[in-house]
Amino acid sequence: NAGVMQNPRHLVRRRGQEARLRCSPMKGHSHVYWYRQLPEEGLKFMVYLQKENIIDESGMPKERFSAEFPKEGPSILRIQQVVRGDSAAYFCASSPALGATNEKLFFGSGTQLSVL
Amino acid sequence: QKEVEQNSGPLSVPEGAIASLNCTYSDRGSQSFFWYRQYSGKSPELIMSIYSNGDKEDGRFTAQLNKASQYVSLLIRDSQPSDSATYLCAVITMEYGNKLVFGAGTILRVKS
């Protein structure tokens, strides 16, 4: 959905560098989700954030990965000291409400991270 | 058992036929179910949502939900080559927190 903006579209990093992926939710949406998709696989949940608050980070690797959604500005998924196994498509999605039974997620175009 | 399971396919159907895609889920308390379509190299696109038992129709798409059997399906009538994509089943599960969990997807190929 064009309303969820992710950048960059493609990101190339060398092993050991840091990767920063940005996501601006749709207008009026206060909840952001990050998913990772490896080739030929489904989307794996990573983290669920509300502004200034991490709701659920059960899918985040314990080391090197962090996420934030500040009061102002986009949500950031940060990967420190990248390794080749981090190469994947990272999708951000947003929704307007927490726990609504008719909650729907709309996805951004994704960031393709390639680690050399 | 995986939280959301789909047959990976590929499912091949001739143009004009009905494509039937199936999905099972493990969390009996789930209330919200979705089908997303994903073209290669693109982001998932929401095509159907269903919340109560029975059928829900939208154009050529029909979603079917059976909570007793923990089963949700998607039927695509009059399949077109442009329907060729990966179809992802997704469920909002309460079991591991309130989040959307995806199946691995079923590849659909519609042959003209």
mmCIF file of all heavy atoms in Angstrom, chain A residues 52-92:
data_model
loop_
_atom_site.group_PDB
_atom_site.id
_atom_site.type_symbol
_atom_site.label_atom_id
_atom_site.label_comp_id
_atom_site.label_asym_id
_atom_site.label_seq_id
_atom_site.Cartn_x
_atom_site.Cartn_y
_atom_site.Cartn_z
ATOM 1 N N GLU A 52 6.783 5.494 20.829
ATOM 2 C CA GLU A 52 7.580 5.529 22.060
ATOM 3 C C GLU A 52 7.404 4.277 22.913
ATOM 4 O O GLU A 52 7.734 4.285 24.098
ATOM 5 C CB GLU A 52 7.248 6.782 22.886
ATOM 6 C CG GLU A 52 7.527 8.082 22.152
ATOM 7 C CD GLU A 52 7.301 9.292 23.030
ATOM 8 O OE1 GLU A 52 6.135 9.649 23.260
ATOM 9 O OE2 GLU A 52 8.312 9.878 23.504
ATOM 10 N N ASN A 53 6.920 3.192 22.342
ATOM 11 C CA ASN A 53 6.683 2.001 23.157
ATOM 12 C C ASN A 53 6.815 0.738 22.295
ATOM 13 O O ASN A 53 6.266 0.678 21.203
ATOM 14 C CB ASN A 53 5.274 2.078 23.769
ATOM 15 C CG ASN A 53 5.039 0.997 24.792
ATOM 16 O OD1 ASN A 53 5.976 0.460 25.364
ATOM 17 N ND2 ASN A 53 3.775 0.683 25.027
ATOM 18 N N ILE A 54 7.560 -0.243 22.794
ATOM 19 C CA ILE A 54 7.637 -1.540 22.134
ATOM 20 C C ILE A 54 6.574 -2.441 22.753
ATOM 21 O O ILE A 54 6.601 -2.712 23.953
ATOM 22 C CB ILE A 54 9.029 -2.171 22.293
ATOM 23 C CG1 ILE A 54 10.083 -1.301 21.603
ATOM 24 C CG2 ILE A 54 9.048 -3.587 21.724
ATOM 25 C CD1 ILE A 54 11.507 -1.783 21.797
ATOM 26 N N ILE A 55 5.629 -2.906 21.935
ATOM 27 C CA ILE A 55 4.532 -3.732 22.429
ATOM 28 C C ILE A 55 4.962 -5.199 22.513
ATOM 29 O O ILE A 55 4.695 -5.892 23.492
ATOM 30 C CB ILE A 55 3.295 -3.618 21.528
ATOM 31 C CG1 ILE A 55 2.877 -2.155 21.335
ATOM 32 C CG2 ILE A 55 2.140 -4.442 22.071
ATOM 33 C CD1 ILE A 55 2.437 -1.469 22.597
ATOM 34 N N ASP A 56 5.615 -5.673 21.467
ATOM 35 C CA ASP A 56 5.971 -7.086 21.394
ATOM 36 C C ASP A 56 7.222 -7.204 20.534
ATOM 37 O O ASP A 56 7.192 -6.837 19.368
ATOM 38 C CB ASP A 56 4.811 -7.878 20.772
ATOM 39 C CG ASP A 56 5.069 -9.376 20.671
ATOM 40 O OD1 ASP A 56 6.214 -9.824 20.852
ATOM 41 O OD2 ASP A 56 4.107 -10.116 20.385
ATOM 42 N N GLU A 57 8.303 -7.669 21.111
ATOM 43 C CA GLU A 57 9.551 -7.847 20.353
ATOM 44 C C GLU A 57 9.980 -9.307 20.370
ATOM 45 O O GLU A 57 11.161 -9.627 20.246
ATOM 46 C CB GLU A 57 10.655 -6.950 20.889
ATOM 47 C CG GLU A 57 10.972 -7.151 22.363
ATOM 48 C CD GLU A 57 12.072 -6.213 22.846
ATOM 49 O OE1 GLU A 57 12.721 -5.538 22.017
ATOM 50 O OE2 GLU A 57 12.288 -6.166 24.076
ATOM 51 N N SER A 58 9.023 -10.211 20.496
ATOM 52 C CA SER A 58 9.327 -11.627 20.637
ATOM 53 C C SER A 58 9.998 -12.227 19.404
ATOM 54 O O SER A 58 10.636 -13.273 19.492
ATOM 55 C CB SER A 58 8.061 -12.415 20.975
ATOM 56 O OG SER A 58 7.082 -12.230 19.971
ATOM 57 N N GLY A 59 9.868 -11.580 18.255
ATOM 58 C CA GLY A 59 10.475 -12.103 17.041
ATOM 59 C C GLY A 59 11.831 -11.506 16.708
ATOM 60 O O GLY A 59 12.440 -11.872 15.695
ATOM 61 N N MET A 60 12.284 -10.626 17.551
ATOM 62 C CA MET A 60 13.577 -9.965 17.298
ATOM 63 C C MET A 60 14.718 -10.843 17.804
ATOM 64 O O MET A 60 14.682 -11.343 18.931
ATOM 65 C CB MET A 60 13.624 -8.624 18.028
ATOM 66 C CG MET A 60 12.736 -7.588 17.405
ATOM 67 S SD MET A 60 13.501 -6.773 16.028
ATOM 68 C CE MET A 60 14.391 -5.505 16.909
ATOM 69 N N PRO A 61 15.776 -11.008 17.012
ATOM 70 C CA PRO A 61 16.976 -11.666 17.534
ATOM 71 C C PRO A 61 17.475 -10.908 18.762
ATOM 72 O O PRO A 61 17.331 -9.690 18.859
ATOM 73 C CB PRO A 61 17.961 -11.575 16.373
ATOM 74 C CG PRO A 61 17.103 -11.471 15.158
ATOM 75 C CD PRO A 61 15.911 -10.675 15.588
ATOM 76 N N LYS A 62 18.061 -11.656 19.692
ATOM 77 C CA LYS A 62 18.454 -11.050 20.978
ATOM 78 C C LYS A 62 19.599 -10.065 20.824
ATOM 79 O O LYS A 62 19.721 -9.110 21.601
ATOM 80 C CB LYS A 62 18.868 -12.150 21.966
ATOM 81 C CG LYS A 62 17.764 -13.135 22.292
ATOM 82 C CD LYS A 62 16.602 -12.475 22.972
ATOM 83 C CE LYS A 62 15.553 -13.506 23.341
ATOM 84 N NZ LYS A 62 14.244 -12.905 23.609
ATOM 85 N N GLU A 63 20.434 -10.279 19.838
ATOM 86 C CA GLU A 63 21.602 -9.419 19.671
ATOM 87 C C GLU A 63 21.552 -8.728 18.310
ATOM 88 O O GLU A 63 20.978 -9.231 17.357
ATOM 89 C CB GLU A 63 22.887 -10.251 19.786
ATOM 90 C CG GLU A 63 23.049 -10.910 21.142
ATOM 91 C CD GLU A 63 24.304 -11.767 21.231
ATOM 92 O OE1 GLU A 63 24.936 -12.011 20.186
ATOM 93 O OE2 GLU A 63 24.642 -12.184 22.354
ATOM 94 N N ARG A 64 22.126 -7.566 18.252
ATOM 95 C CA ARG A 64 22.387 -6.780 17.044
ATOM 96 C C ARG A 64 21.154 -6.095 16.472
ATOM 97 O O ARG A 64 21.300 -5.145 15.709
ATOM 98 C CB ARG A 64 23.046 -7.637 15.944
ATOM 99 C CG ARG A 64 24.345 -8.313 16.349
ATOM 100 C CD ARG A 64 25.037 -8.969 15.147
ATOM 101 N NE ARG A 64 24.219 -10.021 14.554
ATOM 102 C CZ ARG A 64 23.585 -9.930 13.387
ATOM 103 N NH1 ARG A 64 23.661 -8.819 12.668
ATOM 104 N NH2 ARG A 64 22.882 -10.947 12.917
ATOM 105 N N PHE A 65 19.964 -6.523 16.810
ATOM 106 C CA PHE A 65 18.745 -5.936 16.252
ATOM 107 C C PHE A 65 18.056 -5.049 17.295
ATOM 108 O O PHE A 65 17.936 -5.440 18.449
ATOM 109 C CB PHE A 65 17.769 -7.035 15.818
ATOM 110 C CG PHE A 65 18.139 -7.735 14.541
ATOM 111 C CD1 PHE A 65 19.213 -8.620 14.510
ATOM 112 C CD2 PHE A 65 17.420 -7.520 13.378
ATOM 113 C CE1 PHE A 65 19.559 -9.276 13.337
ATOM 114 C CE2 PHE A 65 17.755 -8.174 12.199
ATOM 115 C CZ PHE A 65 18.809 -9.047 12.173
ATOM 116 N N SER A 66 17.585 -3.906 16.847
ATOM 117 C CA SER A 66 16.789 -3.055 17.721
ATOM 118 C C SER A 66 15.794 -2.282 16.867
ATOM 119 O O SER A 66 15.989 -2.117 15.660
ATOM 120 C CB SER A 66 17.673 -2.091 18.516
ATOM 121 O OG SER A 66 18.380 -1.225 17.643
ATOM 122 N N ALA A 67 14.730 -1.821 17.513
ATOM 123 C CA ALA A 67 13.714 -1.056 16.797
ATOM 124 C C ALA A 67 13.194 0.044 17.695
ATOM 125 O O ALA A 67 13.169 -0.096 18.916
ATOM 126 C CB ALA A 67 12.565 -1.968 16.353
ATOM 127 N N GLU A 68 12.791 1.134 17.065
ATOM 128 C CA GLU A 68 12.197 2.233 17.803
ATOM 129 C C GLU A 68 11.147 2.904 16.945
ATOM 130 O O GLU A 68 11.167 2.822 15.711
ATOM 131 C CB GLU A 68 13.272 3.247 18.214
ATOM 132 C CG GLU A 68 13.982 3.916 17.052
ATOM 133 C CD GLU A 68 14.965 4.981 17.517
ATOM 134 O OE1 GLU A 68 15.175 5.135 18.725
ATOM 135 O OE2 GLU A 68 15.509 5.666 16.643
ATOM 136 N N PHE A 69 10.244 3.598 17.610
ATOM 137 C CA PHE A 69 9.218 4.388 16.936
ATOM 138 C C PHE A 69 9.047 5.653 17.774
ATOM 139 O O PHE A 69 8.245 5.702 18.690
ATOM 140 C CB PHE A 69 7.919 3.593 16.857
ATOM 141 C CG PHE A 69 6.855 4.202 15.975
ATOM 142 C CD1 PHE A 69 7.134 5.223 15.089
ATOM 143 C CD2 PHE A 69 5.560 3.723 16.037
ATOM 144 C CE1 PHE A 69 6.160 5.781 14.286
ATOM 145 C CE2 PHE A 69 4.566 4.255 15.232
ATOM 146 C CZ PHE A 69 4.858 5.287 14.363
ATOM 147 N N PRO A 70 9.850 6.661 17.471
ATOM 148 C CA PRO A 70 9.837 7.856 18.321
ATOM 149 C C PRO A 70 8.559 8.673 18.165
ATOM 150 O O PRO A 70 7.771 8.465 17.229
ATOM 151 C CB PRO A 70 11.064 8.641 17.831
ATOM 152 C CG PRO A 70 11.258 8.172 16.420
ATOM 153 C CD PRO A 70 10.814 6.740 16.387
ATOM 154 N N LYS A 71 8.399 9.613 19.068
ATOM 155 C CA LYS A 71 7.221 10.474 19.038
ATOM 156 C C LYS A 71 7.139 11.222 17.707
ATOM 157 O O LYS A 71 6.054 11.403 17.148
ATOM 158 C CB LYS A 71 7.284 11.466 20.206
ATOM 159 C CG LYS A 71 6.049 12.324 20.362
ATOM 160 C CD LYS A 71 6.175 13.209 21.599
ATOM 161 C CE LYS A 71 4.928 14.077 21.766
ATOM 162 N NZ LYS A 71 5.044 14.955 22.963
ATOM 163 N N GLU A 72 8.259 11.673 17.221
ATOM 164 C CA GLU A 72 8.320 12.343 15.931
ATOM 165 C C GLU A 72 9.206 11.547 14.990
ATOM 166 O O GLU A 72 10.255 11.072 15.397
ATOM 167 C CB GLU A 72 8.887 13.760 16.093
ATOM 168 C CG GLU A 72 8.094 14.650 17.039
ATOM 169 C CD GLU A 72 6.728 15.009 16.475
ATOM 170 O OE1 GLU A 72 6.568 14.972 15.238
ATOM 171 O OE2 GLU A 72 5.817 15.329 17.272
ATOM 172 N N GLY A 73 8.792 11.407 13.756
ATOM 173 C CA GLY A 73 9.623 10.747 12.771
ATOM 174 C C GLY A 73 9.247 9.301 12.547
ATOM 175 O O GLY A 73 8.339 8.757 13.186
ATOM 176 N N PRO A 74 9.974 8.651 11.644
ATOM 177 C CA PRO A 74 9.625 7.286 11.261
ATOM 178 C C PRO A 74 10.069 6.250 12.287
ATOM 179 O O PRO A 74 10.872 6.540 13.181
ATOM 180 C CB PRO A 74 10.399 7.097 9.952
ATOM 181 C CG PRO A 74 11.615 7.951 10.121
ATOM 182 C CD PRO A 74 11.140 9.165 10.879
ATOM 183 N N SER A 75 9.572 5.042 12.127
ATOM 184 C CA SER A 75 10.081 3.909 12.879
ATOM 185 C C SER A 75 11.402 3.471 12.243
ATOM 186 O O SER A 75 11.551 3.515 11.017
ATOM 187 C CB SER A 75 9.081 2.761 12.856
ATOM 188 O OG SER A 75 9.620 1.615 13.494
ATOM 189 N N ILE A 76 12.343 3.066 13.075
ATOM 190 C CA ILE A 76 13.659 2.644 12.597
ATOM 191 C C ILE A 76 13.920 1.218 13.056
ATOM 192 O O ILE A 76 13.753 0.897 14.239
ATOM 193 C CB ILE A 76 14.783 3.537 13.161
ATOM 194 C CG1 ILE A 76 14.531 5.017 12.856
ATOM 195 C CG2 ILE A 76 16.138 3.066 12.645
ATOM 196 C CD1 ILE A 76 14.723 5.388 11.413
ATOM 197 N N LEU A 77 14.318 0.369 12.109
ATOM 198 C CA LEU A 77 14.832 -0.957 12.440
ATOM 199 C C LEU A 77 16.336 -0.899 12.217
ATOM 200 O O LEU A 77 16.793 -0.573 11.118
ATOM 201 C CB LEU A 77 14.201 -2.036 11.560
ATOM 202 C CG LEU A 77 14.718 -3.470 11.795
ATOM 203 C CD1 LEU A 77 14.310 -3.967 13.176
ATOM 204 C CD2 LEU A 77 14.163 -4.417 10.723
ATOM 205 N N ARG A 78 17.079 -1.182 13.255
ATOM 206 C CA ARG A 78 18.532 -1.040 13.208
ATOM 207 C C ARG A 78 19.181 -2.399 13.374
ATOM 208 O O ARG A 78 18.850 -3.148 14.304
ATOM 209 C CB ARG A 78 18.966 -0.092 14.329
ATOM 210 C CG ARG A 78 20.445 0.199 14.394
ATOM 211 C CD ARG A 78 20.721 1.082 15.605
ATOM 212 N NE ARG A 78 22.135 1.391 15.762
ATOM 213 C CZ ARG A 78 22.686 1.753 16.904
ATOM 214 N NH1 ARG A 78 21.935 1.850 17.998
ATOM 215 N NH2 ARG A 78 23.973 2.020 16.974
ATOM 216 N N ILE A 79 20.099 -2.706 12.482
ATOM 217 C CA ILE A 79 20.843 -3.952 12.567
ATOM 218 C C ILE A 79 22.326 -3.602 12.650
ATOM 219 O O ILE A 79 22.897 -3.025 11.720
ATOM 220 C CB ILE A 79 20.601 -4.864 11.341
ATOM 221 C CG1 ILE A 79 19.103 -5.009 11.053
ATOM 222 C CG2 ILE A 79 21.224 -6.238 11.583
ATOM 223 C CD1 ILE A 79 18.789 -5.738 9.758
ATOM 224 N N GLN A 80 22.937 -3.933 13.759
ATOM 225 C CA GLN A 80 24.356 -3.651 13.944
ATOM 226 C C GLN A 80 25.188 -4.842 13.485
ATOM 227 O O GLN A 80 24.756 -5.999 13.566
ATOM 228 C CB GLN A 80 24.641 -3.365 15.420
ATOM 229 C CG GLN A 80 23.958 -2.108 15.926
ATOM 230 C CD GLN A 80 24.203 -1.887 17.403
ATOM 231 O OE1 GLN A 80 23.712 -2.615 18.246
ATOM 232 N NE2 GLN A 80 24.988 -0.868 17.731
ATOM 233 N N GLN A 81 26.399 -4.533 13.015
ATOM 234 C CA GLN A 81 27.370 -5.577 12.644
ATOM 235 C C GLN A 81 26.717 -6.650 11.782
ATOM 236 O O GLN A 81 26.694 -7.832 12.134
ATOM 237 C CB GLN A 81 27.991 -6.190 13.904
ATOM 238 C CG GLN A 81 28.745 -5.167 14.748
ATOM 239 C CD GLN A 81 29.256 -5.770 16.060
ATOM 240 O OE1 GLN A 81 28.549 -6.507 16.743
ATOM 241 N NE2 GLN A 81 30.499 -5.476 16.380
ATOM 242 N N VAL A 82 26.181 -6.225 10.647
ATOM 243 C CA VAL A 82 25.417 -7.143 9.794
ATOM 244 C C VAL A 82 26.269 -8.331 9.345
ATOM 245 O O VAL A 82 27.483 -8.225 9.160
ATOM 246 C CB VAL A 82 24.823 -6.412 8.571
ATOM 247 C CG1 VAL A 82 23.807 -5.368 9.012
ATOM 248 C CG2 VAL A 82 25.906 -5.806 7.695
ATOM 249 N N VAL A 83 25.576 -9.450 9.173
ATOM 250 C CA VAL A 83 26.182 -10.680 8.643
ATOM 251 C C VAL A 83 25.386 -11.082 7.411
ATOM 252 O O VAL A 83 24.279 -10.582 7.172
ATOM 253 C CB VAL A 83 26.181 -11.812 9.689
ATOM 254 C CG1 VAL A 83 26.972 -11.389 10.917
ATOM 255 C CG2 VAL A 83 24.765 -12.203 10.081
ATOM 256 N N ARG A 84 25.956 -11.998 6.625
ATOM 257 C CA ARG A 84 25.305 -12.384 5.370
ATOM 258 C C ARG A 84 23.908 -12.953 5.610
ATOM 259 O O ARG A 84 23.010 -12.785 4.799
ATOM 260 C CB ARG A 84 26.170 -13.373 4.612
ATOM 261 C CG ARG A 84 27.379 -12.709 3.982
ATOM 262 C CD ARG A 84 28.041 -13.555 2.944
ATOM 263 N NE ARG A 84 29.124 -12.799 2.308
ATOM 264 C CZ ARG A 84 30.271 -13.324 1.915
ATOM 265 N NH1 ARG A 84 30.499 -14.618 2.090
ATOM 266 N NH2 ARG A 84 31.191 -12.567 1.337
ATOM 267 N N GLY A 85 23.715 -13.620 6.735
ATOM 268 C CA GLY A 85 22.408 -14.189 7.037
ATOM 269 C C GLY A 85 21.321 -13.152 7.281
ATOM 270 O O GLY A 85 20.136 -13.491 7.326
ATOM 271 N N ASP A 86 21.717 -11.886 7.424
ATOM 272 C CA ASP A 86 20.731 -10.817 7.590
ATOM 273 C C ASP A 86 20.131 -10.393 6.253
ATOM 274 O O ASP A 86 19.148 -9.638 6.222
ATOM 275 C CB ASP A 86 21.374 -9.588 8.254
ATOM 276 C CG ASP A 86 21.867 -9.876 9.667
ATOM 277 O OD1 ASP A 86 21.300 -10.776 10.320
ATOM 278 O OD2 ASP A 86 22.827 -9.204 10.099
ATOM 279 N N SER A 87 20.702 -10.848 5.152
ATOM 280 C CA SER A 87 20.186 -10.501 3.830
ATOM 281 C C SER A 87 18.760 -11.028 3.685
ATOM 282 O O SER A 87 18.516 -12.227 3.829
ATOM 283 C CB SER A 87 21.070 -11.099 2.727
ATOM 284 O OG SER A 87 22.380 -10.564 2.780
ATOM 285 N N ALA A 88 17.850 -10.130 3.438
ATOM 286 C CA ALA A 88 16.425 -10.490 3.359
ATOM 287 C C ALA A 88 15.654 -9.256 2.934
ATOM 288 O O ALA A 88 16.200 -8.153 2.837
ATOM 289 C CB ALA A 88 15.921 -10.977 4.722
ATOM 290 N N ALA A 89 14.365 -9.470 2.716
ATOM 291 C CA ALA A 89 13.451 -8.337 2.523
ATOM 292 C C ALA A 89 12.815 -8.016 3.868
ATOM 293 O O ALA A 89 12.331 -8.916 4.562
ATOM 294 C CB ALA A 89 12.381 -8.676 1.498
ATOM 295 N N TYR A 90 12.846 -6.768 4.234
ATOM 296 C CA TYR A 90 12.268 -6.322 5.506
ATOM 297 C C TYR A 90 11.055 -5.460 5.190
ATOM 298 O O TYR A 90 11.169 -4.424 4.531
ATOM 299 C CB TYR A 90 13.293 -5.544 6.322
ATOM 300 C CG TYR A 90 14.410 -6.432 6.830
ATOM 301 C CD1 TYR A 90 15.505 -6.744 6.006
ATOM 302 C CD2 TYR A 90 14.372 -6.972 8.108
ATOM 303 C CE1 TYR A 90 16.517 -7.582 6.455
ATOM 304 C CE2 TYR A 90 15.389 -7.805 8.565
ATOM 305 C CZ TYR A 90 16.451 -8.111 7.731
ATOM 306 O OH TYR A 90 17.457 -8.939 8.181
ATOM 307 N N PHE A 91 9.902 -5.918 5.669
ATOM 308 C CA PHE A 91 8.653 -5.210 5.404
ATOM 309 C C PHE A 91 8.130 -4.554 6.682
ATOM 310 O O PHE A 91 8.176 -5.144 7.760
ATOM 311 C CB PHE A 91 7.585 -6.173 4.873
ATOM 312 C CG PHE A 91 7.847 -6.655 3.474
ATOM 313 C CD1 PHE A 91 8.405 -7.903 3.245
ATOM 314 C CD2 PHE A 91 7.535 -5.852 2.371
ATOM 315 C CE1 PHE A 91 8.645 -8.357 1.961
ATOM 316 C CE2 PHE A 91 7.780 -6.301 1.085
ATOM 317 C CZ PHE A 91 8.337 -7.553 0.881
ATOM 318 N N CYS A 92 7.620 -3.383 6.505
ATOM 319 C CA CYS A 92 6.953 -2.663 7.578
ATOM 320 C C CYS A 92 5.460 -2.623 7.254
ATOM 321 O O CYS A 92 5.073 -2.527 6.082
ATOM 322 C CB CYS A 92 7.529 -1.258 7.655
ATOM 323 S SG CYS A 92 6.605 -0.101 8.659
#
